[in-house]
Amino acid sequence: MTAIPLMKGTLDLLVLKALSWTPMHGLEITSWLEQRSGGELSFDDSGVYQALYRMEERGLIEAEWGVSDNNRRARYYRATKKGRAHLDAETRQLVRYGELVTGILTATAKA
Amino acid sequence: MIRPGIRRLFHLGSRRHDLVARDTADEIASHIEERAARLEAQGWEPTAAKAEARRRFGPLAEAERELTRAALRRERRLGLRDRLDAIAQDFRYAWRTTAAEPVFAALVVVVVALGVGANAATFGILDRLLLRGPDHVREPRELGRVYATMNVPGRGPFTGSSFGYVCYAALRDHAGAFSGVGAYTRPNETTLGSGERAEQVLQADATWDLFPTLGVRPALGRFFGREEDRPGAAARVVVLGDALWRRRFDADPGVLGRTLSLDGTTYTVIGVAPRGFTGAELRRVDAWLPMSVRGQRVADDWQTTIYAQWLRIVVRRQPGISAERAGIEATAAIRPVFAGTEELLATGDVSVRPIGFNGAGDEAMEAKVARWLDAVALVVLLVACANVANMLLARAVRRRREVAVRVALGITGARLVRLLLAQSVVLAGLGGAAALAVVPFASRLLRATLLPDVDWSGPAVDGRTLVVALALTLGAGVLTGLAPALIARRGDVLGALRSGVREGGGRSSRLRTALTVAQAAFSVVLLVAAGLFLESLRQARTVDLGIEPERILTVGASWPRAERDLLVAPAVSPRDRSRTFYATALERALELPWVESAAIAVGTPFNTSFAVQLSVPGWTELPDLAGGGPYIQAVSPRYFETVGLRRLAGRDFAAGDRGGSAPVAIVNQTMAATLWPGRQALGACLVIGDPATKPPCAPVVGIVEDAHRDSLEEPPAMQYYIPLGQEQGFGGSRLLVRPRPPAATMVEPLRRRMRGVDPSALWVSVDTLQESLDPEIRPWRLGATLIGVCGGLALLIAAVGLYSLVAHMVTSRAHELGVRVALGARRADVLALVLRRGLGLAALGVASGVAIALATGERMRDMLFHTSPRDPLVYLAVVGSLLVAATLACIVPARRALRVDPATALRDE
């Protein structure tokens, strides 16, 4: 089975979800996403950084230089209050959307 | 932990493009390395692990480029947001510290409010008079008033702005330089309606093209057009002014097509002018009538005569035509009108000047006064700023420890300056807001006193005033905050931390001293200006005019005019009707117990004067005096005691001196001295009237003192009086009444009494003679009161400043004073020490103020009346009051210094 390409805009949300647990650096986020999707989502690692920079600019996350577990300089990201609110709202909307679309597509014809 | 945002703030300055790029590259590199390390840990070949990590990252060069771009954008955006955050934080902090010292804040706010308020109020006037011009006028800079200058032999050049219709027509038909030409009359009082509902309104005549020339559009209906203003076939139509439309017609749009009566003639309303439209000048106009309807009232040949000049002319210059060029064109157009008849005018020059100029072609007196007021208000603001800066400095000194702690904790200099600036801007902003609450009142008062004739229907505070007030407020905030902020920044941190507040910083105290001296100097300048105006006012009030205008009421009446096309003659001739009215009115007035005396006069001082042909035996030609004349008046008995003229010799007219009786005359002092020097004037002979008709000799029966005819200042002129009823060739009576109580309070009672005299009269007016004089005295009264108020404010502010400085000195030197007392200094010594310091500063300020005033006072000379700009009494009074105020300001802190307890002071150590 081949991996599914990401729908536009969902990567931001997934990254934000990852950061809602704990501050992480880029690779940690990437690994978290791979684990969670069981490798079924296909994306370039650079896409994660694009998402991070974009969201930082919008004030959804903050960043700070730190040292990784392997003693490397790494940029640690963390969701802001605004980011969490954004995640909640977007998640609710996406779930509703998914249910609706699924409902329509899987409906059996009725007489 | 410091917020990342704040940290970024301090690093961002050095983080330029390459730094961001390096960080981004670092982040990518460490991602790939760590990924490879993890793969290796899972058992990958080192080279393969590296390749896989790269593959998973995506196309590396492109990703790096794009990520760098994104990172740069992000940094720019975040940097801006952090800066805004920091500024908001500064203002929150400033607000907290302001609220923590409410008394201090209130003082500053009041001082700033006074300064900004004075400026905003005067700006409104200056804007209208000098900058903006009349409302609803398109491109006022292209417009100009037409003036004629002629060179009168022996009298020098004379400039006027009155023209005949014939000049207007010549300009209008002279194509080229002008895109529009219009003529108008100044608004005159006219009776609207009749009977109980009758009222006086301001009515102006205009040629139809005045409106397109000004570029105005009607609010309702239309203005009259070319056809309605055609000479000989004009339509009886009227355009209402907005104020009258609202007042009399309740702003009813259905007013169009209705008729109304003006001076007894019926007109149809065809339009309403927009609110605030006053034509090319600033005085209110209630009704506009076509020139061609009204021209007949001036003369039968009003279209062609060169001898009736009652119009003012505005022109709109074609784009690219300078005022000089326009003047040359206008001269070329108008000179031929007078060629061969009036040489003076045919060789005169015509010029085009700004529409705001007065009748004589100069900048209006009000504009000059407004300009002065604005300068004065600016000085008040500067004094206020100096004072606020002073208070902020004092506070900065009080808070040296706090500032020092902040500096020690690593706050940057720029941030500290910003923090302190934020505080002064918050204070100034509060002051500006307070000012805006007061400005509407102040400017209404100012407008009513400075320019009561101007139509002020706009809002008291408009957008332009608001912008000016805002700019001044911000300016005041920055100006007052900058000095303390810069000093605080340079402050010696360690010294301040060690020593506390006792020793005031040398730099800041020198600056405070300078500011205090400057305040005193500015208030001296303002007070001198106010004093000079006050002295002018006093001089103007005490000028001996001969007559006593403040004691006299004048009564006039108007009737519907007989139409020229009316074939039936009216039952009573207008002359008889008027004569009967005034005779009855005089009787009724004399019946009133509060009337001291009353008389009828043809020719009233400050109103109308007449001259007729006069010959005197012994003189082939009468001498030409600088004041002109001789002027003639026809008066009833008791005229002289009514107006307050002293009789110097001979008798007054008696009841027997009237129309038909033997002619007699009374002359004034100047006439007696000029025509019969060293001889007895009584019994001398005046031959009044055209010599061809061989008028009889009128013997001089009395001599009275000179009376002013027209203005406060005029050279002596010959005047003579004949009995009422004997006048030939001139007319137009007035009743003059001298009440016992102050004249101004008796206007209404007299009007009530006079209204019943003749029910057929359209309108009976009762005015004080003083009203005619008021516009002349107004500039000085205005200057004296307004500059006086400003000067008083400045003095108060300066006194507060001096007080706070001396008080501060006493507080900070309490220790030293205590030691002095402990060492045996007497109370007088301590008192002298404090007073010497305070009064020394005040004296320095007074001296520099006097120097400035002496140096600049000469510019005021032409605004003063019979007062030298170096009037020693004024200077003495100002210096005295300043020193008194300074002493008062020093005494309170000085007394406190005396109470310093030496024991406490010593223990404090």
Side-chain angles (χ1 to χ4, degrees):
Chain A
M1 184 176 145
T2 46
I4 306 170
L6 267 174
M7 261 189 290
K8 206 171 177 319
T10 38
L11 183 57
D12 284 16
L13 228 47
L14 294 176
V15 169
L16 200 53
K17 180 71 184 172
L19 292 176
S20 71
W21 306 115
T22 172
M24 296 187 208
H25 59 73
L27 183 60
E28 286 174 342
I29 300 170
T30 318
S31 312
W32 186 86
L33 286 176
E34 282 167 356
Q35 259 173 34
R36 278 293 161 136
S37 67
E40 285 199 30
L41 282 175
S42 112
F43 55 87
D44 283 342
D45 293 4
S46 66
V48 172
Y49 286 94
Q50 293 278 14
L52 284 170
Y53 289 7
R54 199 159 46 225
M55 288 196 291
E56 195 184 351
E57 191 184 327
R58 291 173 61 193
L60 301 178
I61 58 176
E62 290 174 341
E64 188 181 4
W65 285 102
V67 181
S68 75
D69 299 340
N70 299 353
N71 267 334
R72 283 177 210 279
R73 199 166 93 98
R75 223 159 168 254
Y76 278 83
Y77 296 88
R78 171 170 54 158
T80 62
K81 215 189 252 174
K82 190 175 158 195
R84 285 170 204 279
H86 180 76
L87 176 65
D88 280 355
E90 291 292 305
T91 307
R92 235 174 293 128
Q93 206 180 340
L94 200 63
V95 167
R96 234 175 90 70
Y97 178 79
E99 283 172 359
L100 258 168
V101 173
T102 314
I104 295 168
L105 292 179
T106 57
T108 44
K110 282 176 190 164
Chain B
M1 174 177 162
I2 300 174
R3 274 178 54 211
I6 294 294
R7 260 210 339 223
R8 184 184 299 114
L9 185 71
F10 292 104
H11 293 178
L12 194 68
S14 57
R15 178 172 292 197
R16 301 239 178 280
H17 176 275
D18 47 342
L19 260 176
V20 175
R22 197 193 309 155
D23 272 354
T24 310
D26 266 10
E27 195 172 14
I28 296 171
S30 92
H31 176 97
I32 292 174
E33 276 173 37
E34 185 133 4
R35 171 77 96 178
R38 287 190 186 184
L39 288 173
E40 265 183 73
Q42 287 169 18
W44 286 61
E45 273 295 313
T47 21
K50 210 152 224 167
E52 175 64 9
R54 287 229 171 98
R55 190 192 62 75
R56 289 203 193 173
F57 194 82
L60 194 57
E62 190 188 324
E64 189 171 333
R65 205 167 48 240
E66 248 169 50
L67 281 175
T68 306
R69 204 178 306 135
L72 275 171
R73 199 170 55 229
R74 177 196 71 199
E75 291 299 323
R76 260 199 310 274
R77 182 81 175 269
L78 288 181
L80 183 68
R81 185 182 308 151
D82 285 337
R83 267 193 295 263
L84 289 178
D85 264 4
I87 288 173
Q89 210 185 5
D90 288 349
F91 275 97
R92 270 195 301 277
Y93 172 77
W95 172 251
R96 272 202 312 276
T97 48
T98 304
E101 289 181 288
V103 178
F104 173 79
L107 257 176
V108 174
V109 165
V110 167
V111 170
V112 172
L114 290 175
V116 172
N119 277 277
T122 47
F123 172 78
I125 292 202
L126 202 68
D127 189 32
R128 171 44 52 90
L129 283 182
L130 291 174
L131 306 178
R132 202 164 35 148
D135 272 343
H136 304 289
V137 169
R138 187 170 50 84
E139 294 289 329
R141 280 173 207 290
E142 279 178 17
L143 284 175
R145 275 257 295 277
V146 180
Y147 290 87
T149 305
M150 49 184 180
N151 227 326
V152 187
R155 293 252 175 93
F158 169 84
T159 299
S161 59
S162 297
F163 294 92
Y165 189 85
V166 59
C167 295
Y168 150 75
L171 277 174
R172 182 191 59 196
D173 301 336
H174 182 91
F178 309 120
S179 59
V181 178
Y184 61 93
T185 63
R186 302 179 70 194
N188 273 311
E189 293 221 318
T190 305
T191 308
L192 169 64
S194 62
E196 276 306 299
R197 283 267 281 163
E199 63 174 310
Q200 297 289 89
V201 298
L202 291 170
Q203 170 267 318
D205 307 339
T207 58
W208 71 274
D209 43 7
L210 177 70
F211 306 106
T213 300
L214 296 179
V216 59
R217 298 182 174 286
L220 199 65
R222 58 190 176 81
F223 290 119
F224 36 84
R226 192 197 298 265
E227 288 309 312
E228 288 160 311
D229 185 30
R230 188 175 289 284
R236 291 228 172 78
V237 292
V238 57
V239 173
L240 298 180
D242 177 86
L244 181 65
W245 176 57
R246 285 177 197 281
R247 179 159 46 82
R248 183 100 177 187
F249 299 95
D250 297 324
D252 176 12
V255 73
L256 299 182
R258 276 165 67 178
T259 59
L260 53 81
S261 151
L262 283 168
D263 258 352
T265 306
T266 303
Y267 295 89
T268 306
V269 178
I270 57 163
V272 176
R275 180 167 216 164
F277 174 67
T278 51
E281 299 188 24
L282 294 171
R283 196 164 179 216
R284 194 186 82 225
V285 176
D286 293 320
W288 296 92
L289 297 180
M291 185 66 71
S292 300
V293 175
R294 307 267 305 171
Q296 292 287 321
R297 309 211 160 185
V298 176
D300 279 329
D301 57 350
W302 62 277
Q303 288 179 65
T304 51
T305 180
I306 57 170
Y307 293 109
Q309 309 199 327
W310 77 106
L311 301 178
R312 291 183 167 187
I313 303 177
V314 282
V315 295
R316 184 177 289 281
R317 303 195 305 268
Q318 293 276 20
I321 300 282
S322 68
E324 289 73 33
R325 181 80 211 141
I328 293 167
E329 297 276 345
T331 306
I334 285 185
R335 276 186 178 179
V337 172
F338 298 102
T341 44
E342 288 289 309
E343 270 316 299
L344 280 184
L345 285 163
T347 57
D349 285 312
V350 180
S351 50
V352 174
R353 304 183 189 186
I355 53 173
F357 278 20
N358 66 11
D362 298 319
E363 184 170 49
M365 186 68 164
E366 284 84 358
K368 278 189 207 155
V369 172
R371 211 192 284 271
W372 270 94
L373 270 181
D374 229 32
V376 164
L378 215 57
V379 172
V380 171
L381 184 63
L382 282 181
V383 172
C385 281
N387 197 278
V388 172
N390 221 335
M391 289 197 266
L392 287 174
L393 266 174
R395 187 171 70 163
V397 171
R398 271 204 309 283
R399 288 175 24 190
R400 275 164 70 91
R401 282 192 97 123
E402 179 203 328
V403 170
V405 167
R406 280 172 177 272
V407 172
L409 283 179
I411 191 169
T412 61
R415 185 92 200 281
L416 184 63
V417 169
R418 226 171 47 211
L419 210 58
L420 291 169
L421 268 186
Q423 289 174 7
S424 66
V425 168
V426 161
L427 284 169
L430 288 172
L436 284 185
V438 192
V439 165
F441 296 103
S443 52
R444 257 196 287 278
L445 187 76
L446 210 58
R447 290 166 177 196
T449 41
L450 178 59
L451 299 156
D453 289 342
V454 169
D455 185 339
W456 289 114
S457 48
V461 180
D462 58 4
R464 291 162 65 102
T465 310
L466 217 57
V467 168
V468 167
L470 194 69
L472 286 172
T473 303
L474 263 181
V478 171
L479 201 63
T480 55
L482 211 54
L486 290 178
I487 282 169
R489 182 185 186 180
R490 276 190 214 159
D492 166 17
V493 179
L494 288 176
L497 276 176
R498 255 187 253 117
S499 69
V501 290
R502 196 175 297 130
E503 293 89 54
R507 284 183 63 86
S508 73
S509 91
R510 264 203 306 285
L511 187 63
R512 291 198 66 191
T513 307
L515 285 172
T516 308
V517 169
Q519 286 176 50
F522 280 136
S523 18
V524 165
V525 173
L526 286 187
L527 285 174
V528 164
L532 292 176
F533 274 113
L534 198 66
E535 179 60 17
S536 292
L537 182 64
R538 201 181 66 80
Q539 292 286 352
R541 282 251 174 87
T542 52
V543 165
D544 185 8
L545 300 168
I547 57 166
E548 298 166 324
E550 72 283 1
R551 297 290 315 272
I552 305 163
L553 294 167
T554 65
V555 180
S558 66
W559 288 269
R561 295 221 188 184
E563 294 300 328
R564 284 182 179 268
D565 48 1
L566 213 60
L567 291 173
V568 190
V572 200
S573 86
R575 201 184 156 98
D576 288 344
R577 183 173 56 193
S578 157
R579 191 172 298 160
T580 315
F581 171 84
Y582 285 108
T584 319
L586 176 61
E587 264 171 46
R588 297 267 176 96
L590 287 173
E591 284 163 21
L592 294 168
W594 45 264
V595 169
E596 195 178 314
S597 82
I600 300 168
V602 179
T604 326
F606 299 102
N607 202 312
T608 34
S609 40
F610 298 101
V612 297
Q613 280 189 307
L614 173 72
S615 48
V616 178
W619 292 88
T620 46
E621 195 170 337
L622 293 182
D624 203 2
L625 293 193
Y631 299 99
I632 185 170
Q633 279 174 262
V635 299
S636 72
R638 295 180 70 193
Y639 169 80
F640 301 108
E641 71 177 89
T642 303
V643 298
L645 283 178
R646 269 177 303 133
R647 200 148 22 87
L648 303 173
R651 66 169 177 95
D652 189 4
F653 296 135
D657 297 315
R658 55 189 153 142
S661 72
V664 287
I666 292 173
V667 298
N668 76 347
Q669 209 175 345
T670 300
M671 190 155 174
T674 311
L675 297 183
W676 306 282
R679 280 178 289 148
Q680 179 58 272
L682 291 181
C685 172
L686 298 183
V687 181
I688 305 161
D690 187 355
T693 64
K694 300 254 188 280
C697 174
V700 173
V701 297
I703 301 173
V704 293
E705 65 173 328
D706 289 2
H708 282 228
R709 295 173 301 107
D710 207 30
S711 59
L712 279 179
E713 242 182 329
E714 54 186 35
M718 291 192 275
Q719 300 167 304
Y720 61 107
Y721 304 83
I722 57 172
L724 187 73
Q726 292 186 359
E727 73 272 15
Q728 299 259 314
F730 64 101
S733 306
R734 281 285 157 99
L735 175 67
L736 301 177
V737 176
R738 183 188 188 89
R740 273 178 244 276
T745 63
M746 301 318 285
V747 171
E748 267 315 307
L750 190 61
R751 201 199 310 272
R752 271 200 300 279
R753 183 74 180 171
M754 292 293 127
R755 269 206 122 144
V757 172
D758 182 355
S760 77
L762 271 179
W763 177 258
V764 176
S765 67
V766 176
D767 303 291
T768 61
L769 201 51
Q770 184 69 34
E771 280 169 45
S772 326
L773 209 61
D774 271 350
E776 286 207 54
I777 296 187
R778 196 181 299 143
W780 298 300
R781 178 155 51 214
L782 200 76
T785 39
L786 293 179
I787 301 184
V789 167
C790 287
L793 278 180
L795 178 64
L796 188 71
I797 294 172
V800 169
L802 187 63
Y803 165 80
S804 82
L805 187 75
V806 175
H808 176 77
M809 180 194 85
V810 168
T811 318
S812 58
R813 285 170 63 180
H815 172 71
E816 178 207 327
L817 293 175
V819 172
R820 278 170 188 266
V821 173
L823 290 178
R826 285 168 305 151
R827 296 168 63 87
D829 296 336
V830 175
L831 207 58
L833 187 78
V834 175
L835 281 180
R836 200 157 53 227
R837 169 94 174 125
L839 289 181
L841 286 182
L844 198 59
V846 168
S848 18
V850 165
I852 296 172
L854 283 175
T856 55
E858 207 50 41
R859 290 159 168 268
M860 282 184 73
R861 187 181 282 281
D862 60 347
M863 301 194 63
L864 301 177
F865 183 81
H866 291 188
T867 304
S868 154
R870 303 190 162 185
D871 190 290
L873 260 161
V874 167
Y875 274 86
L876 214 63
V878 169
V879 169
S881 54
L882 219 99
L883 290 181
V884 167
T887 313
L888 289 178
C890 293
I891 276 194
V892 179
R895 286 170 61 92
R896 199 181 316 147
L898 287 182
R899 284 201 300 273
V900 170
D901 178 6
T904 318
L906 289 174
R907 243 199 329 272
D908 247 8
E909 189 57 355

